[in-house]
């Protein structure tokens, strides 16, 4: 028995309103002649929602929605995975989010290490990892992947206090800098960005003001229900068509201009931003989060310094060096441009991270297949 | 991952809330939620932490936002059709009409103003 | 890419999806003696059917490794019996004849746990009127096996076997009840997640639903499957592939409990990939679909039965989900989202 109002949730999934928003998109897009309107989203959860509700099958033909480097699994760099694997192989217990389990490093993934006997635990949150540490006699390392939305949870957990056998291998990333990189890439056709609603819940939409000024491209912050996404896309198309470089908040129930100040305080108390590599994108200034010096005691990179230093620095296999996930994530290549796609690189046997992650572009392409993707659109193949 | 799911607070003990997600209950931490919360409030849960108190009045705001967008799209289309008609008839006000159809400049919520 | 895992068995090989199928095709099938007549291993159906004089012998075998042993709505003993009865039922054998049971126990297992599991298993057999006729017991050292494993074989007679390969364009697809209850109920129980829920497993013997289907639809009942590991998505993908048809599935029509939806969102797991242990997916010629769903709904186990999809001649081997907002392909599971639920 419960008297929860079903109404609010259902209204964000009303198919009738969805059809109206799709029609609005069609009207807006059809007014424009020439090449398709190209926009990018930078959030794996947006791609999940788009795929899960089948939204691409109803988007108008003149609109291209590209997924950028917003899948935290895909952009976790090879050395970071290698570090996790080395720590696992040294006998420490490693707790990880499930989607990181099968991502290959330069050779192996955590799942490979697990199959050889390493103790790997899949967790749904950092608190679970802390509980595991409390009930473990040995070391427990939390492989902290994900963007700022997830990093705040890691920060909060550390601030609340963790047992002494707990440490963090930090692979968190910070999204806004990578949008600049992608916008400035030669060959980029991106005309606007759909920003991740949950990350913006933390950072606020104000962080994008500088970006739109510098790049002259509009940004719309969008939520994750089907109506949220369609509304966000519609707003972004309207801005692009009108030539306006602005920030719009299409997710006001969760996002404010300044964001969640309390979460931000926790975040910057624990982490600092450093430049670093995003898998396939190369260097992103201020895009990586690392533990501040005050937290060095909980830094797995220091605690397991010896194991990491002695891990065999394997050169990436020849296959890995042919992987073009970076260009795909930047929206300047498609999986079809990759010589490995569908041949040496498959969901069951992935080379690049874009194929491992459920939200990865290559994975989604492979499942849709070039055969089904165009014909899934309204009006048939282009 | 428990990603960005809204739920309703049933009870609070210290920094931990028992939250109802449509029949399923989970303990969610309140360490970093952005506003004081009480039983009955809706929160956004992300990997076991509340990251936002969702004011119920914002739900109506969001629905109004969808309506506004749809109306804008239809208005744009109507004006565009008018304009195309004018161009075809040799009208000179086409340029300014298209600009006006573009919507409000500047940032912020659609419809203007903060909630 | 060749990695160290290529030479090893991984958890995903037991998920009921593509990886498991490949393992069967690559390792198990090549050595197996083919059947001269009937439904054998290479059909990879829910059971085997051997022709006898005047009928068919239906056989099935299963192992049960669910953890925890006791979960809301049932336990490993009940699961073992129902799983076997249901596998026989979806092959067309609605009067199970006999059950055998092998137990592998870990040294140190509590005797009262064993007695409780056995009590539940016996009671489930009694409810179905199924004699347990043979068994075996092995003990492995502490740590060499986890608690308790049950392996069962069931046998029955059937007038004609129903395979999972009989779908044709135009056929309708029915499910007999809500989806994903078992897997999510087991998952929610795992202490580490700290999830509170009253969701119970749907574990139950559903041979009576199969009997109703045979009675109402007769020869128009063309395919049956129980959507266990891999969930409805895996079951339908197999049926589509074996029948050479496409399946259009209407998501708004799928019966799913609100708690299952909530767990699905919290855990990021699709209910269509999650095991049911008291449900049947049926393929029936269109003319009998309405009559069948109404008859199922009159039975307490089939209250939430629904027509959820139809077969088409295009996109053979594929399942397309109409979400209400668009459409997308529905794929069988590749990995293992929920370990040790069956």
């Amino acid at each position: 028995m419960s008297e929860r109002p079903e109404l609010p949730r259902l209204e964000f999934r009303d198919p009738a309103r969805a059809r109206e928003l799709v029609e609005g998109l069609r009207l807006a897009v059809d007014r424009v002649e020439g090449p398709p309107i190209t926009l990018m989203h930078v959030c794996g959860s947006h791609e999940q929602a788009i795929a899960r509700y089948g939204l691409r099958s109803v988007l108008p033909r003149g609109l291209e929605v590209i997924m950028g480097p917003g899948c935290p699994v895909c952009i976790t760099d090879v050395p970071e995975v290698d570090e996790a694997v080395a720590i696992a192989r040294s006998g420490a217990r490693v707790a990880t989010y499930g989607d990181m389990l099968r991502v290959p490093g330069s050779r192996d993934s955590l799942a490979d290490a697990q199959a050889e006997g390493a103790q790997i635990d899949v967790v749904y949150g950092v608190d679970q990892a802390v509980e595991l540490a409390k009930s473990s006699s040995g070391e427990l390392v939390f492989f902290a992947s994900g963007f700022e939305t997830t990093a705040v949870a890691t920060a909060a957990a550390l601030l609340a206090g963790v047992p002494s056998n707990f440490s963090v291998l930090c692979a968190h990333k910070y999204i806004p800098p990578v949008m600049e990189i992608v916008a400035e890439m030669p060959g980029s056709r991106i005309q606007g960005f759909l920003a991740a609603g949950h990350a913006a819940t933390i950072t606020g939409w104000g962080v994008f003001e500088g970006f739109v000024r510098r790049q002259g491209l509009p940004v719309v912050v969008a939520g994750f229900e089907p109506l949220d996404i369609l509304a966000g896309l519609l707003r972004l198309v309207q801005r692009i068509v009108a030539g306006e470089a602005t920030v719009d908040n299409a997710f006001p129930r969760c996002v404010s201009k300044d964001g969640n100040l309390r979460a931000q305080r926790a975040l910057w108390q624990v982490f600092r931003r450093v430049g670093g590599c995003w898998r396939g994108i190369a260097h992103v200034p201020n895009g990586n989060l690392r533990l501040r010096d005050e937290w060095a005691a909980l830094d797995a990179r220091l605690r397991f310094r010896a194991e990491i230093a002695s891990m065999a620095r394997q050169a990436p296999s020849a296959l890995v060096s042919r992987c073009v996930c970076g260009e795909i994530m930047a929206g300047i290549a498609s999986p079809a441009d990759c010589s490995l796609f569908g041949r040496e690189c498959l969901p069951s046997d992935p080379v690049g991270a874009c194929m491992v992650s459920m939200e990865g572009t290559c994975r989604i392409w492979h499942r849709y297949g070039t055969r089904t993707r165009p014909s899934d659109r309204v009006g048939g193949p282009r | 991952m428990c990603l960005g799911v809204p739920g309703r607070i049933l009870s609070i003990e210290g920094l931990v809330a028992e939250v109802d997600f449509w029949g399923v209950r989970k303990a969610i931490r309140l360490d970093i939620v952005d506003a004081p919360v009480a039983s009955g409030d809706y929160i956004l849960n992300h990997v076991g932490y509340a990251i936002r108190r969702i004011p119920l009045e914002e739900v109506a705001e969001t629905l109004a936002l969808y309506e506004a967008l749809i109306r804008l799209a239809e208005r744009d289309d109507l004006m565009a059709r008018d304009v195309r008609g004018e161009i075809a008839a040799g009208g000179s006000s086409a340029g300014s009409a298209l600009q006006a159809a573009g919507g409000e400049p500047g940032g912020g919520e659609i419809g203007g103003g903060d909630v | 890419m060749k990695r160290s895992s290529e030479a090893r068995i991984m958890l995903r090989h037991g998920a009921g999806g593509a990886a498991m199928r490949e393992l069967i095709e690559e390792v198990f099938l090549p050595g197996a003696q083919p059947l001269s007549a009937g439904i054998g291993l290479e059909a990879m159906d829910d059971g085997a059917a051997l022709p006898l004089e005047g009928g068919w012998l239906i056989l099935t075998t299963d192992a049960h490794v669910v953890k925890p042993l006791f979960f809301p709505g049932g336990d490993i003993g009940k699961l073992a019996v129902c799983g076997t009865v249901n596998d026989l039922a979806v092959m067309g054998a609605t009067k199970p004849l006999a059950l055998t049971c092998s137990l592998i126990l870990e040294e140190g297992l509590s005797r009262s746990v064993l007695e409780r599991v056995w009590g539940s298993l016996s009671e489930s057999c009694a409810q179905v009127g199924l004699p347990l006729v043979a068994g075996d017991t092995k003990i492995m050292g502490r740590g060499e096996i986890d608690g308790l494993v049950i392996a069962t074989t069931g046998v029955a007679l059937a007038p004609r076997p129903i395979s999972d390969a009989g779908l044709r364009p135009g056929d309708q697809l029915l499910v007999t009840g809500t989806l994903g209850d078992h897997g999510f109920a087991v998952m929610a129980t795992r202490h580490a997640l700290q999830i509170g829920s009253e969701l119970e497993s749907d574990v139950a013997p559903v041979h009576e639903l199969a009997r109703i289907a045979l009675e109402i639809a007769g020869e128009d009942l063309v395919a049956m499957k129980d959507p266990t590991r891999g969930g409805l998505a895996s079951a339908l993908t197999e049926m589509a592939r074996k029948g050479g048809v496409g399946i259009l599935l209407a998501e708004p029509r799928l019966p799913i409990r609100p708690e299952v939806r909530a767990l699905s969102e919290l855990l990021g797991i699709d209910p269509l990939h999650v095991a049911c242990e008291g449900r049947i997916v049926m393929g029936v010629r269109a003319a009998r679909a309405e009559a069948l769903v109404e008859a199922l709904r009159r039975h307490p186990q089939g209250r939430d039965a629904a027509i959820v999809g139809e077969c088409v001649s295009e996109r053979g081997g594929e399942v397309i989900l109409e979400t209400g907002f668009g459409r997308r392909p529905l794929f069988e599971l590749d990995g293992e989202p929920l370990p040790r639920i069956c």
Side-chain angles (χ1 to χ4, degrees), chain C residues 21-45:
Chain C
R21 195 183 57 254
E22 277 161 29
L23 181 71
I24 295 172
E25 285 169 354
E26 288 166 19
V27 176
F28 303 136
L29 283 182
Q33 279 271 64
L35 267 186
S36 49
I39 301 174
L41 199 61
E42 62 292 336
M44 291 201 275
D45 206 330

Side-chain angles (χ1 to χ4, degrees), chain A residues 9 13-15 18 51-55 57-58 89 102 104 106-109 111-112 114-116 124 128 226-227 317 319-320 344 347-351 363 367-368 371-372 375-376, chain C residues 1-6 8-12 22 187 192-194 251 258 261-262 265-269 273 315 318 320-321 323-329 331-335 337-338:
Chain A
R9 186 183 175 110
R13 296 186 181 185
D14 173 17
R52 182 239 177 284
Y53 290 108
L55 294 182
S57 67
V58 297
R89 285 198 167 123
R102 292 175 60 205
S106 50
R107 294 282 152 162
D108 295 324
S109 67
D112 295 326
Q114 187 180 45
E116 291 167 5
Y124 289 90
Q128 236 184 303
L227 297 195
S317 70
L319 285 176
V320 167
E344 293 97 327
S348 56
D349 206 10
V351 175
R363 175 78 166 239
R367 310 219 108 177
Y368 278 85
R371 161 175 58 97
T372 55
S375 63
D376 272 342
Chain C
M1 182 163 106
K2 309 289 182 203
R3 291 200 311 280
S4 56
S5 63
E6 199 204 39
R8 294 181 186 273
I9 303 303
M10 311 287 277
L11 281 177
R12 70 176 190 274
E22 277 161 29
M187 195 58 170
L193 292 175
Q194 294 186 294
E251 191 173 358
R261 284 193 204 282
E265 302 224 356
L266 283 172
L267 301 176
I269 293 169
H273 286 148
R315 317 280 285 263
E318 291 176 35
I320 307 294
L321 188 70
T323 65
F325 302 96
R327 41 163 57 182
R328 63 171 169 104
F331 295 99
E332 61 181 342
L333 202 56
D334 191 41
L338 306 177

Side-chain angles (χ1 to χ4, degrees), chain A residues 292-314:
Chain A
R292 299 184 77 92
D293 293 340
E294 308 88 275
W295 296 91
L298 296 181
D299 189 340
R301 286 194 175 91
L302 297 174
R303 204 180 278 198
F304 293 89
R305 200 195 324 245
E307 286 81 356
I308 289 171
S310 67
M311 76 186 177
R313 292 256 169 222
Q314 294 176 318

Side-chain angles (χ1 to χ4, degrees), chain B residues 18-38:
Chain B
E18 174 135 358
V19 179
D20 169 58
F21 299 94
W22 282 268
V24 167
R25 294 171 309 285
K26 189 165 175 13
I28 301 295
R29 295 196 61 122
L30 300 174
D31 306 48
I32 50 173
V33 70
D34 60 340
V37 292

Side-chain angles (χ1 to χ4, degrees), chain C residues 12-70:
Chain C
R12 70 176 190 274
H13 289 121
M20 187 164 102
R21 195 183 57 254
E22 277 161 29
L23 181 71
I24 295 172
E25 285 169 354
E26 288 166 19
V27 176
F28 303 136
L29 283 182
Q33 279 271 64
L35 267 186
S36 49
I39 301 174
L41 199 61
E42 62 292 336
M44 291 201 275
D45 206 330
D46 299 292
L50 284 69
L52 296 178
E53 209 124 340
W56 293 79
L57 178 68
I58 310 294
L59 271 171
T60 187
T61 191
D62 264 299
H64 310 276
V65 297
V66 66
K67 184 174 184 168
L69 298 178
F70 304 96

Side-chain angles (χ1 to χ4, degrees), chain B residues 5-84:
Chain B
V5 183
R8 199 170 72 144
I9 296 179
L10 293 171
S11 62
I12 298 177
E13 200 174 300
L15 277 175
V16 179
E18 174 135 358
V19 179
D20 169 58
F21 299 94
W22 282 268
V24 167
R25 294 171 309 285
K26 189 165 175 13
I28 301 295
R29 295 196 61 122
L30 300 174
D31 306 48
I32 50 173
V33 70
D34 60 340
V37 292
S39 287
D41 281 344
Y42 280 86
I43 53 96
L44 187 70
N45 159 42
H46 186 81
V47 298
Y49 284 80
I51 59 172
R52 166 76 173 179
R53 176 183 169 273
I54 306 174
L56 255 189
E57 55 269 23
E58 302 250 14
V59 169
E61 156 99 9
T62 304
L63 299 174
L65 181 157
Y66 300 157
E67 294 301 317
L69 281 174
I70 292 166
R71 280 199 307 277
L72 193 59
E74 291 167 355
R75 189 197 76 185
D76 284 359
D77 189 62
L78 283 173
M79 293 194 82
R81 267 191 258 141
D82 286 347
V83 163
R84 283 196 284 273

Side-chain angles (χ1 to χ4, degrees), chain A residues 339-362:
Chain A
S339 61
L340 303 171
F341 178 75
R343 298 181 197 92
E344 293 97 327
C345 187
L346 297 160
S348 56
D349 206 10
V351 175
C354 293
M355 186 62 90
V356 173
S357 169
M358 295 300 291
E359 299 163 358
T361 307
C362 295

